[in-house]
Amino acid sequence: MELRSVEDTLKSNCKSWQELRRAREGAALPSLKQLFSAINDDDIFPPEPEVVPKEVPNGVDDETQKEDEKSDKECPEGASKPTLSTSVSVALSTDIYVGPEDVEDITDHEMTPQQILESLENIKKSLSSLAPKMNKFLQRLYERDPVTLKPRYGEKTMIRVKQAIRAYKAMEHGISGVFQDHTNAGSDNHSTLVSNLRTQVQRQEELMNEQRRALQQQEQTELERITNEKILAEKREIEERLQAEQRKREEELDLARRAEEARRKRIEEEQLALAAERQADANLLSLVPTKGPEGVREQIDRMREALKEDRAAFDLAIGSLYTLFDQITRKPEEVSFRRVRRDHPKFNEDIGRHVGGREVLIAAGFRMETLDGVKCFFSREPCIEQDMNGWSDWFDGLKKTLEVIEEEMIK
């Protein structure tokens, strides 16, 4: 898992390097193949130590001895087992970590100098974090089992480890060349690139500062212009206010005349509306010729007939009526249960909008009154202390109305 993680990190760094080379400012970077070609195995890999044959205790590694004998039989006498040459291994490393994108010198990747510097810094930090792991791989490269004297890594793992070390050294060589002291006269093109990038970033910052100063100057000029305009506007406002006061005095006289006319007109309209309302109430009362339980039954029958095509609406209306009268009979002293706003949305949606809905309340003894400025259907409770018989009749009527609604609900 650790080797796989290192390989993925190195591949990511190589990909980032290739993307940098595709940017216009990063075209001077050497290709990954050039970096890999500059790596010499003799410089990075320690010489393999000689293995001193060691007697293996009986029974410890009999299976290993059998595998060695089998391997010796498969190889011709005097011939050694096939191994990868250094040039072939380097080529494999290049193919694995470089890829085809590095073959063509394409500069079609848009990156700012700041982005290029940040990418190089990220590669440098990534390589620094890999250093302990690479040192551990180098230390374990030729380690052997103290008993069997076999290498710690198998053949395939050994190849992967060496490829990873070569890739790391190649990237380390490239990144160290980029970040070496660019003030040194003998520095190569890479450090010149870094110097140029830093210069471009500095110039860009200076340009931004200059633009910021220009913007501030422009804002200051605009502020002065606005201030001058404000002064002129205040002068015009004073003149206009004087003129407006004169017009206002003239208009107030006209406004008073119009207000008086509007007041008289409003009174007339209110009187007409009140008359229309009283007529509507009278019409509603005329629809309820019979009061008491029988009148309630008649109005429910009217509602059932009007809603015979909409049973759900009828059930909702009769259920709402039942809830209303059940609450009143349970707590007749509660005024809020006996007062129903005529314009209440829920009342009109469930009961009031249907034929016979409002009439049921009239038949049950409710009156149309205005309480606290709100038009209501109101069942006024007689004073039990002054009129016990009247209160009893009133309460019995409510209970009989509830009984009628219960009977109509089960039809």
Side-chain angles (χ1 to χ4, degrees):
M1 295 296 293
E2 184 177 34
L3 178 57
R4 177 61 58 84
S5 176
V6 169
E7 289 174 333
D8 292 342
T9 302
L10 289 171
K11 289 177 182 178
S12 177
N13 290 336
C14 290
K15 182 178 179 181
S16 298
W17 186 274
Q18 289 171 327
E19 291 177 352
L20 290 174
R21 293 194 69 246
R22 291 175 58 189
R24 186 179 296 105
E25 291 81 359
L29 291 173
S31 67
L32 289 178
K33 286 191 175 183
Q34 290 173 338
L35 294 178
F36 275 85
S37 299
I39 299 303
N40 189 346
D41 282 4
D42 294 336
D43 296 333
I44 60 176
F45 297 118
E48 183 175 1
E50 295 182 1
V51 180
V52 179
K54 189 174 183 181
E55 183 178 353
V56 180
N58 291 333
V60 174
D61 203 23
D62 292 340
E63 187 176 349
T64 302
Q65 291 177 353
K66 293 178 181 179
E67 291 179 357
D68 293 341
E69 292 174 359
K70 181 180 179 181
S71 178
D72 293 340
K73 290 178 181 179
E74 292 175 353
C75 295
E77 185 177 358
S80 60
K81 295 180 182 180
T83 58
L84 292 174
S85 66
T86 300
S87 59
V88 173
S89 184
V90 171
L92 286 174
S93 300
T94 305
D95 293 340
I96 292 174
Y97 290 98
V98 175
E101 293 87 354
D102 199 56
V103 176
E104 300 180 3
D105 291 331
I106 305 174
T107 57
D108 59 352
H109 193 51
E110 293 295 334
M111 295 181 71
T112 64
Q114 183 66 34
Q115 290 174 331
I116 295 176
L117 280 175
E118 290 177 356
S119 183
L120 290 172
E121 289 284 358
N122 290 336
I123 295 174
K124 183 179 179 181
K125 291 178 181 178
S126 176
L127 293 176
S128 297
S129 66
L130 289 179
K133 297 180 181 180
M134 304 312 297
N135 291 333
K136 184 172 69 174
F137 286 147
L138 280 171
Q139 291 174 1
R140 293 183 176 181
L141 195 61
Y142 298 123
E143 287 184 1
R144 293 177 176 269
D145 187 275
V147 178
T148 63
L149 299 180
K150 283 189 173 182
R152 175 182 288 272
Y153 299 127
E155 182 177 351
K156 292 182 179 179
T157 303
M158 178 74 77
I159 293 174
R160 289 175 58 194
V161 169
K162 287 189 174 182
Q163 290 171 345
I165 293 174
R166 291 188 187 95
Y168 172 79
K169 291 296 182 180
M171 290 301 299
E172 186 181 46
H173 173 71
I175 209 69
S176 63
V178 169
F179 281 97
Q180 66 179 324
D181 186 6
H182 63 277
T183 59
N184 189 350
S187 59
D188 54 17
N189 292 334
H190 316 160
S191 54
T192 302
L193 169 63
V194 172
S195 176
N196 290 338
L197 290 174
R198 289 173 177 168
T199 300
Q200 291 181 40
V201 171
Q202 183 179 0
R203 290 176 179 173
Q204 187 175 9
E205 292 178 352
E206 293 175 353
L207 178 60
M208 292 178 63
N209 291 334
E210 182 64 27
Q211 292 176 347
R212 191 178 297 110
R213 287 192 294 270
L215 180 60
Q216 292 174 350
Q217 181 62 37
Q218 182 178 356
E219 291 175 350
Q220 180 64 27
T221 303
E222 181 66 13
L223 180 60
E224 293 176 356
R225 183 188 64 80
I226 293 175
T227 302
N228 293 332
E229 290 184 353
K230 184 178 180 180
I231 295 174
L232 294 176
E234 289 175 352
K235 292 181 179 179
R236 288 194 298 269
E237 183 180 357
I238 293 173
E239 295 176 356
E240 292 173 357
R241 185 171 64 250
L242 295 174
Q243 296 174 0
E245 289 175 355
Q246 178 63 27
R247 289 194 300 269
K248 182 178 180 180
R249 286 190 292 270
E250 296 174 355
E251 291 173 356
E252 283 176 350
L253 297 175
D254 184 62
L255 183 61
R257 179 182 57 79
R258 292 183 181 182
E260 180 61 24
E261 293 177 357
R263 187 183 67 83
R264 288 197 299 268
K265 184 177 180 181
R266 183 176 66 255
I267 292 174
E268 293 174 359
E269 291 176 350
E270 290 176 352
Q271 291 175 345
L272 291 174
L274 182 60
E277 181 180 338
R278 289 174 178 174
Q279 183 61 43
D281 291 346
N283 294 338
L284 178 61
L285 292 174
S286 67
L287 296 175
V288 189
T290 306
K291 302 292 179 64
E294 292 303 319
V296 171
R297 196 182 304 277
E298 291 178 3
Q299 299 305 325
I300 292 178
D301 289 340
R302 290 182 62 213
M303 184 189 299
R304 180 183 287 108
E305 177 65 22
L307 296 177
K308 61 183 178 180
E309 302 297 333
D310 192 352
R311 179 67 186 186
F314 176 77
D315 291 342
L316 178 61
I318 198 73
S320 299
L321 287 169
Y322 177 83
T323 300
L324 174 63
F325 283 92
D326 181 62
Q327 289 176 334
I328 296 175
T329 55
R330 288 178 183 274
K331 292 185 177 182
E333 73 280 359
E334 184 62 49
V335 177
S336 62
F337 291 159
R338 296 184 281 109
R339 180 174 60 184
V340 180
R341 286 173 48 192
R342 294 170 64 177
D343 61 348
H344 195 285
K346 184 65 176 175
F347 168 74
N348 287 314
E349 176 66 22
D350 296 346
I351 301 173
R353 67 188 178 98
H354 302 305
V355 173
R358 295 177 299 168
E359 291 86 337
V360 168
L361 299 182
I362 300 298
F366 278 73
R367 299 178 180 179
M368 292 178 287
E369 299 186 10
T370 300
L371 303 176
D372 299 329
V374 179
K375 296 176 182 178
C376 304
F377 290 107
F378 184 61
S379 178
R380 187 171 295 277
E381 178 187 15
C383 180
I384 190 171
E385 297 177 353
Q386 299 177 3
D387 188 4
M388 183 64 183
N389 293 332
W391 188 93
S392 298
D393 293 341
W394 169 78
F395 188 67
D396 290 342
L398 292 174
K399 291 194 294 183
K400 291 179 181 179
T401 298
L402 182 62
E403 292 174 359
V404 170
I405 294 174
E406 288 178 332
E407 294 173 359
E408 297 296 327
M409 287 179 69
I410 60 178
K411 282 186 179 181

